[in-house]
Amino acid sequence: MNVRRALPALLTAALALSACDIPATGVVEAGEPATGVLEPPGSTPAPTETRALPFTTVPLYFLDDGSLVAVPRTVPGPAELGTTVLMLFKGPDAEERGRGLTTGLPRLSTVPTLRTDGASVTVQLPEAAAGLSDTAVDQLACTVAGARLHQDPELGSVQVTVEQPGGRLAGRSSDDCPGPATATPAVPKPTA
């Protein structure tokens, strides 16, 4: 082999590799090859274990001929305060409307700000919910109280403060809510 001819070719290759920031390394071990990623054609995949998703029943407060009533609503998973409040602001579902239930709350697509401190919950409403009637505030406060009691049944009683735009405050206690202000514990929903 002619060294004079090979030297420029080697220098050119070395410069090209160094210009691309490709380090000169040997073989790098990267672990075992992937296995079991695809099932062979015509095979039956192994059955996977399915677990029942726990469901929780929370009280939402709607209006029946102007009177506050607790309506049980089942939700998947634990009842978060934000999720419960958003369901309330969406209003009665079709079956509940068919029973004559209504709401004094406007439809909201965002959850009001909720602050929890033990047995006290503060609900700060957005501008879209300005000027709620006392009955609408009762709906909201009782629903929040019921959901908070579901989260921590040992509280026994919950105080809810509703802050409306413009600085108007309203306070309610779960003790003043009609019907069951507690919720059913989470249980797995039967699978078919």
Side-chain angles (χ1 to χ4, degrees):
M1 175 174 185
N2 188 341
V3 175
R4 287 185 167 208
R5 276 194 216 159
L7 189 56
L10 285 173
L11 283 173
T12 302
L15 284 172
L17 287 176
S18 67
C20 295
D21 284 336
I22 299 174
T25 62
V27 175
V28 177
E29 293 294 326
E32 296 290 321
T35 60
V37 176
L38 296 175
E39 295 289 332
S43 68
T44 305
T48 58
E49 182 180 323
T50 58
R51 292 186 289 165
L53 181 65
F55 281 71
T56 305
T57 301
V58 294
L60 299 183
Y61 282 81
F62 293 118
L63 303 175
D64 185 6
D65 286 331
S67 298
L68 210 57
V69 294
V71 177
R73 182 77 71 87
T74 303
V75 296
E80 298 295 327
L81 286 179
T83 303
T84 303
V85 170
L86 194 55
M87 282 191 311
L88 176 69
F89 274 98
K90 288 185 179 182
D93 63 20
E95 187 265 329
E96 293 160 349
R97 284 190 308 273
R99 293 190 340 226
L101 299 178
T102 60
T103 184
L105 296 166
R107 290 184 71 88
L108 292 181
S109 57
T110 58
V111 178
T113 302
L114 300 161
R115 293 183 304 275
T116 304
D117 183 14
S120 296
V121 180
T122 301
V123 182
Q124 185 177 7
L125 295 172
E127 286 294 325
L132 294 183
S133 68
D134 287 343
T135 304
V137 170
D138 289 343
Q139 277 186 260
L140 178 58
C142 288
T143 298
V144 169
R148 181 67 183 122
L149 285 171
H150 175 71
Q151 288 179 331
D152 191 351
E154 292 181 16
L155 292 174
S157 180
V158 173
Q159 181 67 34
V160 178
T161 301
V162 178
E163 295 178 0
Q164 296 190 57
R168 183 173 164 217
L169 296 176
R172 303 290 191 271
S173 170
S174 60
D175 297 334
D176 299 327
C177 296
T182 58
T184 305
V187 292
K189 191 168 187 170
T191 57

Short mmCIF file of all heavy atoms in Angstrom, two decimals, residues 148-182:
data_model
loop_
_atom_site.label_atom_id
_atom_site.label_comp_id
_atom_site.label_asym_id
_atom_site.label_seq_id
_atom_site.Cartn_x
_atom_site.Cartn_y
_atom_site.Cartn_z
N ARG A 148 -66.67 18.39 50.20
CA ARG A 148 -65.59 18.46 51.19
C ARG A 148 -65.81 17.45 52.30
O ARG A 148 -64.86 16.82 52.78
CB ARG A 148 -65.51 19.89 51.77
CG ARG A 148 -64.40 20.06 52.78
CD ARG A 148 -63.03 19.94 52.13
NE ARG A 148 -62.00 20.05 53.15
CZ ARG A 148 -61.09 19.11 53.39
NH1 ARG A 148 -61.05 18.02 52.67
NH2 ARG A 148 -60.21 19.27 54.35
N LEU A 149 -67.05 17.26 52.73
CA LEU A 149 -67.34 16.24 53.74
C LEU A 149 -67.06 14.85 53.20
O LEU A 149 -66.68 13.95 53.96
CB LEU A 149 -68.79 16.35 54.22
CG LEU A 149 -69.06 17.52 55.16
CD1 LEU A 149 -70.55 17.69 55.41
CD2 LEU A 149 -68.31 17.34 56.47
N HIS A 150 -67.25 14.67 51.91
CA HIS A 150 -66.93 13.37 51.30
C HIS A 150 -65.42 13.14 51.36
O HIS A 150 -64.96 12.04 51.63
CB HIS A 150 -67.42 13.29 49.87
CG HIS A 150 -67.01 12.02 49.21
ND1 HIS A 150 -67.56 10.81 49.54
CD2 HIS A 150 -66.07 11.76 48.28
CE1 HIS A 150 -66.98 9.86 48.84
NE2 HIS A 150 -66.06 10.42 48.07
N GLN A 151 -64.64 14.19 51.09
CA GLN A 151 -63.18 14.07 51.14
C GLN A 151 -62.69 13.76 52.55
O GLN A 151 -61.75 13.00 52.73
CB GLN A 151 -62.50 15.36 50.66
CG GLN A 151 -62.61 15.60 49.19
CD GLN A 151 -61.94 16.92 48.80
OE1 GLN A 151 -61.88 17.86 49.60
NE2 GLN A 151 -61.46 16.98 47.58
N ASP A 152 -63.31 14.36 53.56
CA ASP A 152 -62.88 14.18 54.94
C ASP A 152 -64.11 14.10 55.85
O ASP A 152 -64.51 15.10 56.45
CB ASP A 152 -61.96 15.33 55.36
CG ASP A 152 -61.28 15.07 56.69
OD1 ASP A 152 -61.62 14.07 57.37
OD2 ASP A 152 -60.39 15.86 57.06
N PRO A 153 -64.72 12.91 55.95
CA PRO A 153 -65.95 12.76 56.73
C PRO A 153 -65.78 13.10 58.21
O PRO A 153 -66.74 13.43 58.88
CB PRO A 153 -66.32 11.28 56.56
CG PRO A 153 -65.54 10.80 55.39
CD PRO A 153 -64.34 11.67 55.28
N GLU A 154 -64.56 13.04 58.72
CA GLU A 154 -64.34 13.32 60.14
C GLU A 154 -64.52 14.80 60.49
O GLU A 154 -64.58 15.15 61.67
CB GLU A 154 -62.94 12.84 60.55
CG GLU A 154 -62.82 11.34 60.51
CD GLU A 154 -61.45 10.84 60.94
OE1 GLU A 154 -60.69 11.62 61.54
OE2 GLU A 154 -61.16 9.66 60.67
N LEU A 155 -64.62 15.66 59.49
CA LEU A 155 -64.82 17.08 59.77
C LEU A 155 -66.15 17.32 60.46
O LEU A 155 -66.28 18.22 61.28
CB LEU A 155 -64.76 17.90 58.47
CG LEU A 155 -63.40 17.98 57.79
CD1 LEU A 155 -63.52 18.69 56.45
CD2 LEU A 155 -62.40 18.70 58.68
N GLY A 156 -67.17 16.56 60.10
CA GLY A 156 -68.49 16.71 60.70
C GLY A 156 -69.29 17.87 60.16
O GLY A 156 -70.48 17.76 59.93
N SER A 157 -68.66 19.02 59.96
CA SER A 157 -69.33 20.20 59.45
C SER A 157 -68.31 21.02 58.66
O SER A 157 -67.13 21.03 58.98
CB SER A 157 -69.88 21.03 60.62
OG SER A 157 -70.52 22.18 60.16
N VAL A 158 -68.80 21.72 57.64
CA VAL A 158 -67.92 22.53 56.79
C VAL A 158 -68.52 23.93 56.64
O VAL A 158 -69.74 24.07 56.48
CB VAL A 158 -67.75 21.88 55.39
CG1 VAL A 158 -66.98 22.78 54.45
CG2 VAL A 158 -67.06 20.53 55.50
N GLN A 159 -67.66 24.93 56.70
CA GLN A 159 -68.07 26.32 56.48
C GLN A 159 -67.58 26.75 55.10
O GLN A 159 -66.39 26.64 54.80
CB GLN A 159 -67.47 27.24 57.55
CG GLN A 159 -67.86 28.69 57.43
CD GLN A 159 -69.34 28.93 57.69
OE1 GLN A 159 -69.96 28.27 58.51
NE2 GLN A 159 -69.92 29.87 56.97
N VAL A 160 -68.48 27.23 54.25
CA VAL A 160 -68.13 27.65 52.89
C VAL A 160 -68.35 29.15 52.75
O VAL A 160 -69.43 29.66 53.11
CB VAL A 160 -68.97 26.90 51.83
CG1 VAL A 160 -68.62 27.38 50.42
CG2 VAL A 160 -68.76 25.40 51.95
N THR A 161 -67.33 29.84 52.25
CA THR A 161 -67.44 31.27 51.95
C THR A 161 -67.39 31.44 50.44
O THR A 161 -66.47 30.92 49.80
CB THR A 161 -66.29 32.06 52.60
OG1 THR A 161 -66.34 31.84 54.01
CG2 THR A 161 -66.41 33.54 52.30
N VAL A 162 -68.37 32.13 49.89
CA VAL A 162 -68.43 32.38 48.45
C VAL A 162 -68.08 33.84 48.22
O VAL A 162 -68.76 34.73 48.73
CB VAL A 162 -69.82 32.05 47.87
CG1 VAL A 162 -69.88 32.37 46.39
CG2 VAL A 162 -70.18 30.59 48.14
N GLU A 163 -66.99 34.07 47.48
CA GLU A 163 -66.55 35.42 47.13
C GLU A 163 -67.01 35.72 45.70
O GLU A 163 -66.54 35.10 44.76
CB GLU A 163 -65.03 35.54 47.20
CG GLU A 163 -64.45 35.36 48.58
CD GLU A 163 -62.93 35.44 48.59
OE1 GLU A 163 -62.32 35.64 47.50
OE2 GLU A 163 -62.36 35.31 49.67
N GLN A 164 -67.93 36.67 45.56
CA GLN A 164 -68.42 37.04 44.24
C GLN A 164 -67.63 38.24 43.71
O GLN A 164 -67.10 39.02 44.51
CB GLN A 164 -69.91 37.38 44.30
CG GLN A 164 -70.77 36.18 44.69
CD GLN A 164 -72.23 36.47 44.51
OE1 GLN A 164 -72.65 36.82 43.41
NE2 GLN A 164 -73.00 36.34 45.57
N PRO A 165 -67.56 38.40 42.40
CA PRO A 165 -66.91 39.59 41.85
C PRO A 165 -67.57 40.84 42.42
O PRO A 165 -68.78 40.87 42.63
CB PRO A 165 -67.15 39.46 40.34
CG PRO A 165 -67.35 37.99 40.12
CD PRO A 165 -68.03 37.49 41.36
N GLY A 166 -66.78 41.85 42.69
CA GLY A 166 -67.32 43.07 43.27
C GLY A 166 -67.20 43.08 44.79
O GLY A 166 -67.65 44.01 45.45
N GLY A 167 -66.65 42.03 45.38
CA GLY A 167 -66.41 42.00 46.82
C GLY A 167 -67.54 41.48 47.67
O GLY A 167 -67.44 41.46 48.89
N ARG A 168 -68.63 41.02 47.09
CA ARG A 168 -69.75 40.50 47.87
C ARG A 168 -69.40 39.12 48.42
O ARG A 168 -68.99 38.23 47.66
CB ARG A 168 -71.00 40.43 47.00
CG ARG A 168 -72.22 39.97 47.73
CD ARG A 168 -73.45 40.08 46.86
NE ARG A 168 -74.52 39.29 47.45
CZ ARG A 168 -75.39 38.60 46.76
NH1 ARG A 168 -75.36 38.63 45.44
NH2 ARG A 168 -76.31 37.92 47.36
N LEU A 169 -69.54 38.92 49.71
CA LEU A 169 -69.25 37.65 50.36
C LEU A 169 -70.52 37.02 50.89
O LEU A 169 -71.45 37.71 51.30
CB LEU A 169 -68.29 37.85 51.55
CG LEU A 169 -66.89 38.36 51.25
CD1 LEU A 169 -66.14 38.58 52.55
CD2 LEU A 169 -66.15 37.39 50.38
N ALA A 170 -70.55 35.71 50.89
CA ALA A 170 -71.66 34.98 51.47
C ALA A 170 -71.10 33.74 52.15
O ALA A 170 -70.27 33.04 51.59
CB ALA A 170 -72.66 34.58 50.39
N GLY A 171 -71.52 33.48 53.37
CA GLY A 171 -71.06 32.31 54.11
C GLY A 171 -72.20 31.36 54.39
O GLY A 171 -73.32 31.78 54.68
N ARG A 172 -71.91 30.09 54.28
CA ARG A 172 -72.92 29.05 54.55
C ARG A 172 -72.24 27.89 55.28
O ARG A 172 -71.07 27.62 55.08
CB ARG A 172 -73.53 28.51 53.26
CG ARG A 172 -74.19 29.52 52.34
CD ARG A 172 -75.48 30.07 52.92
NE ARG A 172 -76.23 30.84 51.95
CZ ARG A 172 -76.08 32.15 51.76
NH1 ARG A 172 -75.19 32.83 52.42
NH2 ARG A 172 -76.83 32.78 50.87
N SER A 173 -73.01 27.19 56.09
CA SER A 173 -72.52 26.01 56.80
C SER A 173 -73.21 24.78 56.24
O SER A 173 -74.38 24.83 55.84
CB SER A 173 -72.83 26.14 58.30
OG SER A 173 -72.57 24.91 58.94
N SER A 174 -72.49 23.67 56.24
CA SER A 174 -73.10 22.42 55.77
C SER A 174 -74.28 22.03 56.65
O SER A 174 -75.18 21.32 56.21
CB SER A 174 -72.06 21.29 55.76
OG SER A 174 -71.53 21.09 57.06
N ASP A 175 -74.30 22.51 57.90
CA ASP A 175 -75.42 22.21 58.81
C ASP A 175 -76.73 22.81 58.33
O ASP A 175 -77.81 22.36 58.73
CB ASP A 175 -75.10 22.73 60.22
CG ASP A 175 -73.89 22.05 60.84
OD1 ASP A 175 -73.60 20.89 60.46
OD2 ASP A 175 -73.23 22.69 61.68
N ASP A 176 -76.64 23.85 57.48
CA ASP A 176 -77.85 24.52 56.99
C ASP A 176 -78.35 23.95 55.67
O ASP A 176 -79.35 24.43 55.13
CB ASP A 176 -77.57 26.02 56.81
CG ASP A 176 -77.19 26.69 58.12
OD1 ASP A 176 -77.70 26.26 59.18
OD2 ASP A 176 -76.36 27.61 58.09
N CYS A 177 -77.65 22.96 55.13
CA CYS A 177 -78.04 22.39 53.83
C CYS A 177 -79.12 21.34 53.99
O CYS A 177 -79.04 20.50 54.89
CB CYS A 177 -76.82 21.76 53.15
SG CYS A 177 -75.54 22.97 52.76
N PRO A 178 -80.14 21.39 53.13
CA PRO A 178 -81.21 20.39 53.21
C PRO A 178 -80.74 19.03 52.68
O PRO A 178 -79.85 18.95 51.84
CB PRO A 178 -82.31 20.97 52.32
CG PRO A 178 -81.57 21.81 51.34
CD PRO A 178 -80.37 22.35 52.07
N GLY A 179 -81.36 18.00 53.19
CA GLY A 179 -81.06 16.66 52.68
C GLY A 179 -79.67 16.21 53.07
O GLY A 179 -78.99 16.85 53.86
N PRO A 180 -79.25 15.11 52.50
CA PRO A 180 -77.94 14.57 52.87
C PRO A 180 -76.81 15.41 52.27
O PRO A 180 -76.70 15.54 51.07
CB PRO A 180 -77.94 13.16 52.27
CG PRO A 180 -78.89 13.25 51.12
CD PRO A 180 -79.93 14.29 51.51
N ALA A 181 -76.01 16.00 53.15
CA ALA A 181 -74.85 16.78 52.69
C ALA A 181 -73.61 15.91 52.71
O ALA A 181 -72.51 16.40 52.58
CB ALA A 181 -74.65 18.00 53.56
N THR A 182 -73.80 14.61 52.91
CA THR A 182 -72.66 13.69 52.86
C THR A 182 -72.78 12.86 51.62
O THR A 182 -73.84 12.80 50.99
CB THR A 182 -72.65 12.78 54.09
OG1 THR A 182 -73.88 12.05 54.14
CG2 THR A 182 -72.45 13.56 55.37
#
